[in-house]
Amino acid sequence: MSSLPNLTSNYAEVFPELVKAATTASSPEPKLIVLNHQLARELGLDPQWLATDEGIDFLLGHQLPDSTTAVAQAYAGHQFGGYAPLLGDGRAILTGELTVDDQLIDIHIKGSGPTPFSRPGSDGYAALGPMLREYLVSEAVHAQGIPTSRALAVITTGRRILRETEQPAAVLIRTGPSHIRVGTFQYVRAQNDLELLQRLTNYSVQRHYPDATGSNPALALLEQVVDRQAKLLADWMHAGIIHGVMNTDNMTIAGHSIDFGPVAFLDAFDPNAVFSSIDFAGRYAYGNQPVIAEWNLARFAEALLPAIMQPGNEQVMSQDEAVRQATEAVVAFRHSYSASWAAAFNQRLGIPQADTAEIGTELLEQLRATNADFTAFFANLADVARSESIPEDIAPELATWYEQWLRLQPNADQVAEHNPVYVPRNHLVEEALTAAVSEHDFSIFHALLAAVTDPYERKDAAAHLEQPASMAYSLHYQTFCGT
């Protein structure tokens, strides 16, 4: 490339009240660890150029177009149920947006050093292991067709930082439709500035929901976000994703997954599964996630209420009526989630939709009772459908279920298409990160990355990546935010 990519600072220019200028920390000895060639090309970037010194400087935010202003974004949020009036990007910087197919795509650096929003005692940096985890998990989520931020690159900076031990510092370059969060609206609502709230509402509609119509943009935005989040949560639940930190500042308005620090995947099916080291009470347990999503959306509705009440200069709605309509919009989450869950379950089981509810409910009960591995069970369904023979080593309760299911003549090709064989199993992720960080061996990481980004096609050479962890490992496994 003969010039720097054409970044804009659209969000920063429209909302100077919601950002502060920020500078990425220097990188004494930057080294490109992993680069997403496919994503780079989708963004209109040249992967070969990105791997040059100039390209790495661009990714790190050290060399940006003169017209671009790198910023940290302000937001508030409920963290584990407790409201924090100001959080903001404490170790992340938005360097700008690319325009791809007429859509703005954020270029965002995580682990870039202290910002004006850094918490007391925080250095703003990130360690290599957590950044590789985010890269691996977000690309696995994308490969399953689940809306998510995506990883463009991981770069070590040449710094050493102290966490539990001294570790190499690294940054993650991630992309996404935007980084506007429920917490962004909560922050604006707390400013008691109706004009700013209406402006953020209109911007969010125009950027993410241009087809939303009606005389009340705030109510339309709420309805659209509720619907997208319901579909996203159904996707998470079917994938066995446990986000681990579903605070309102980690729920995006665009309806995509974000922030994968403590994310883990189910081993044995257990609605009470919790892996995050900071989720002491199990607030964000696997089975609680849909309920928490609706709770978060209620907080979003509260933030939007003044804009719902006064959508235009001449139109004013009573508070009681605004609350009623906002409540209806939030409660609609349940129907949308249930419909999305049922449709996906129908695809996974490959049977007529009318039969899915009863036999699906029975399956989940048996998976829980038998401690069956979540991913392996569904991954093997297609082979059972093709052979029409029940595995010999299966628990008697599941054998009975298999008999009922086979009588419905499941479509084996459909089953195979919707049940991944490979996911970032927790023990495999840890093995890959340990080898990469401690032994400078990235072969395990790349082998796992290759499998989880092509997750539906079984490969003989990757048979070991299908094996679940021991029950003892799963019971004691914990994830960490990496801060």
Side-chain angles (χ1 to χ4, degrees), residues 93-117:
I93 289 177
L94 174 68
T95 55
E97 306 100 354
L98 291 170
T99 300
V100 181
D101 296 329
D102 296 324
Q103 300 294 315
L104 293 176
I105 302 295
D106 282 4
I107 304 296
H108 202 249
I109 308 177
K110 188 170 184 177
S112 50
T115 78
F117 298 112

Side-chain angles (χ1 to χ4, degrees), residues 132-294:
L132 288 174
R133 170 190 284 277
E134 285 226 23
Y135 189 109
L136 182 67
V137 173
S138 62
E139 286 305 292
V141 170
H142 171 73
Q144 291 192 36
I146 301 173
T148 181
S149 59
R150 295 193 62 191
L152 180 57
V154 173
I155 303 170
T156 52
T157 64
R159 293 179 182 272
R160 304 287 295 183
I161 58 174
L162 186 62
R163 295 299 182 255
E164 292 81 9
T165 59
E166 190 179 73
Q167 300 178 40
V171 298
L172 172 76
I173 315 301
R174 67 182 180 187
T175 70
S178 82
H179 286 77
I180 304 172
R181 313 154 188 261
V182 168
T184 310
F185 278 81
Q186 291 181 292
Y187 176 80
V188 170
R189 174 68 185 90
Q191 309 311 304
N192 200 29
D193 185 338
L194 179 58
E195 186 276 332
L196 177 59
L197 180 61
Q198 289 175 330
R199 195 150 41 92
L200 181 61
T201 297
N202 293 335
Y203 179 90
S204 299
V205 170
Q206 292 166 6
R207 182 162 175 176
H208 297 304
Y209 303 97
D211 296 332
T213 57
S215 59
N216 196 316
L219 186 60
L221 177 63
L222 176 60
E223 292 168 343
Q224 294 283 339
V225 172
V226 166
D227 186 61
R228 273 205 197 166
Q229 285 292 338
K231 293 172 180 174
L232 178 66
L233 264 291
D235 286 342
W236 282 8
M237 297 299 283
H238 275 293
I241 292 171
I242 307 172
H243 187 277
V245 62
M246 284 183 65
N247 300 326
T248 56
D249 54 290
N250 287 334
M251 176 175 273
T252 65
I253 301 307
H256 64 286
S257 314
I258 193 172
D259 283 335
F260 295 96
V263 167
F265 282 71
L266 276 181
D267 289 316
F269 180 74
D270 178 7
N272 297 318
V274 174
F275 293 115
S276 172
S277 62
I278 57 176
D279 192 0
F280 305 111
R283 176 181 174 87
Y284 299 142
Y286 169 72
N288 285 353
Q289 292 181 133
V291 176
I292 291 297
E294 185 177 331

